[in-house]
Amino acid sequence: MTPDLATLIAAAHHAKTLACAPYSHFRVGAALLAASGKIYSGCNVESSSFGLTCCAERVALFKALSEGEHAFERIVVSADTEELCSPCGACRQVLWDYARNIEVILANAKGATRTFNLRELLPEAFDDRLLNRE
Ligand code: THU
């Protein structure tokens, strides 16, 4: 049975508690639902070399891809902010590359949510259609 939205939101909230964010103290959790029905969660993982930090969304996506999943339905992004936390540009691009038609649901700890299609968050996206492939 496909997990419902409440289950996915709960998974994102839980993933947030596992965030490795000793530098920013900004905790983010993500829960990605694959077409298989499996949920892949992720939290942000920071490095002392700050640029090596990986966001929760990409951790979740990379976990799923590395387990052979290639079809995705929705991703929930959870942060403890009043204002909903929207994926950064890098995550939008990588999600576009691997999960173009995905629904992106932003959620905070107070129960507020907002839903977007990824194409709304990344209009006029760059992608492999522009690459020369021989
Ligand atoms: N971060 C995420 O994990 N996802 C987002 O959507 C925005 C930002 C992380 C990266 C870094 O560890 C911290 O939040 C502050 O930028």
Side-chain angles (χ1 to χ4, degrees), residues 48-62:
S48 57
S49 181
F50 297 158
L52 302 182
T53 290
C54 196
C55 294
E57 297 90 323
R58 272 174 291 149
V59 170
L61 179 63
F62 293 162

Side-chain angles (χ1 to χ4, degrees), residues 20-21 24-29 43-47 50 53-58 77-79 85-88 91:
C20 303
S24 72
H25 303 288
F26 189 78
R27 296 174 170 272
V28 186
C43 61
N44 52 331
V45 180
E46 297 184 344
S47 168
F50 297 158
T53 290
C54 196
C55 294
E57 297 90 323
R58 272 174 291 149
V77 182
S78 160
C85 174
S86 201
C88 77
C91 289

